[in-house]
Amino acid sequence: MSDTHRRLTGLVRQRLFWPVLILVVLLVSNLFFTPSFFSITVRDGHLYGSLIDILRASTPLVLVAVGMTVVIATGGIDLSVGSVMAISGALACLHISGLADQNSVGGVLFAVALALGLSVLLGLWNGTLVAAIGIQPIIATLILMVAGRGLAQLITDGQIINVNSAPYKVIGAGYALTLPVSVLIVVAVVAAAALLIRRSALGMLVESVGGNPTASRLAGIRARQLVILAYVFAGLCAGIAGLIFSSNVSSADGNNAGNLIELDAILAVVIGGTALTGGRFSLAGSVIGAVIIKALDITIYTIGIPSQANLLFKAVVVIVLCLAQSSAFRARLAGITRRGGPARPPGSPPGSPPGKRPDGAGGGLPQQAGPTVSAEAEVRA
C-alpha cells in the first residue's frame, strides 16, 4: 500500500471527514444557483453575506446540539430543550416589558440572569428525575417537554410579548468585532465546554458513564453527579439559545419558540458522529451537524424547492447523509462496485471468471445428482 493511499484511508476514517465533506458539498451546490453565494461584504463595519447568515441562523441549534451531545454521551436524551428555550425567552421578555425603562442595561442583565437561572433549575430537575429517582431519560424529559410548554404559555398568558429594548436586541441581532454577537456567544460557550470537557478528565468520565455504567460504578466514578451535571449543562445551553432566539425577533412566543428543535438537535448530534447509545462523543461534530442542517434549509430556498415538498426533500437528503457516514454501508457499496457482476464462488482462484467453479465444471446451476440417481433406481425396479 502506497503512502498516498494510506494517508487517504486514514483521512477518510477521521470522524469529522464526512460531516465536513457534506457541508462543503452543500455550500458549493448553492454556488450553481447563486453565483454570489460566497461573497462577503462589509457594510457599516459589519460582515454581510450568505455564509454569515448561515452562521447566525445556526446559533440556537448549535447551542442546543452541544448540550444534547453531553446528555447523549451519558446514555440519556433530553426532549425538553425546546420548552426550556421558550421559557427562557418568555421570562426575560416578561421582565423587560415590565421595566419603566426597557433600555436599562441593569434591568436587561437581571432579566438574562433570571432566565438562565430558571433554565439551570429545569436542567437540575431533569437530572434529578433521571439520576436520583431513576426515571428513564425519554420519559423524564418528556414530562418537562409538555409541562414546560404549558409553563411558557402561562408566563406569556398565551400571547406574544413584544419588547423594545436596544440592550436586549444586541444578544441576537447585534454586532461586535464585525461579527454577529450571537456567533461570538456560541463560540465562547463551545470553546469553554471544549476546554472543560476535553482538556480535563471530565470528558473521559462522561464517556465511561455512557459507555459502560456498571463498569464505571465499580471503578468508583460518581455517575449520578455526572449525569445531573450533563442535564444542567443542556438546560443552560437551551436557556442561552432561547435568549438569542427571542432577542433576534424582540418578542417571546410561548407556543412556537423552540418548537421541535430537540429533533433537529438529535439529528445534528447523529450527523456529527456521536452514537445515540452513549459513550464517545464529538462536540465539533455536533457543531458541524447543526450548521449542515441550517445550510440545508437555506439550500432548499436557494434551489427553489416548493414549500410543500421541503420536508420530504430534507428527509431524503438526511437519509443520504446518514448512509454516506455509515462505514458498513460504504463497505457493502464498495464490495458491489468491485465485483461488478455475479459473485465469485468461494475458493475460486484469483483471476478466474465469475461463476466458474475451481474444478472447471463451469458456471450455471449446480447439477442435481441426487434426484437423477433416484429416477434410475425407479426405472430398474
Side-chain angles (χ1 to χ4, degrees), residues 254-344:
N255 298 321
N256 299 315
N259 191 25
L260 298 181
I261 196 173
E262 56 272 1
L263 300 183
D264 280 344
I266 295 172
L267 182 60
V269 173
V270 173
I271 292 175
T274 299
L276 293 180
T277 53
R280 297 186 62 187
F281 64 97
S282 172
L283 294 177
S286 298
V287 171
I288 296 174
V291 176
I292 286 175
I293 292 176
K294 286 303 173 185
L296 179 59
D297 290 339
I298 292 181
T299 302
I300 289 174
Y301 291 109
T302 302
I303 295 176
I305 300 295
S307 58
Q308 59 270 23
N310 281 357
L311 295 178
L312 183 60
F313 178 80
K314 189 175 179 180
V316 172
V317 173
V318 168
I319 290 174
V320 174
L321 298 183
C322 293
L323 289 178
Q325 285 187 279
S326 171
S327 57
F329 176 79
R330 293 200 307 272
R332 180 167 298 183
L333 184 63
I336 295 174
T337 306
R338 193 181 302 115
R339 285 195 298 268
R344 182 177 295 116

Side-chain angles (χ1 to χ4, degrees), residues 341-346 348 352-366:
R344 182 177 295 116
S348 299
S352 62
K356 193 77 172 179
R357 297 199 306 184
D359 54 1
L365 295 174

Side-chain angles (χ1 to χ4, degrees), residues 68 71-72 74-80 126 130 136-142 231 262 266 276:
M68 185 73 75
V71 170
I72 289 178
T74 64
I77 200 165
D78 192 348
L79 299 180
S80 65
N126 280 334
V130 173
Q136 291 183 355
I138 192 171
I139 301 299
T141 56
L142 185 63
Y231 281 93
E262 56 272 1
I266 295 172
L276 293 180

Side-chain angles (χ1 to χ4, degrees), residues 45-86:
H46 305 154
L47 294 179
Y48 286 92
S50 299
L51 297 180
I52 302 298
D53 293 339
I54 291 176
L55 288 178
R56 188 168 59 179
S58 304
T59 50
L61 182 57
V62 169
L63 285 171
V64 175
V66 168
M68 185 73 75
T69 303
V70 180
V71 170
I72 289 178
T74 64
I77 200 165
D78 192 348
L79 299 180
S80 65
V81 286
S83 299
V84 175
M85 273 186 62

Side-chain angles (χ1 to χ4, degrees), residues 100 122 131 138 156 166 177 182 187 252 294 307 340 359 374 378 381:
L122 294 175
I138 192 171
T156 60
L177 303 175
S182 58
V187 170
K294 286 303 173 185
S307 58
D359 54 1
S374 301
E378 290 177 3

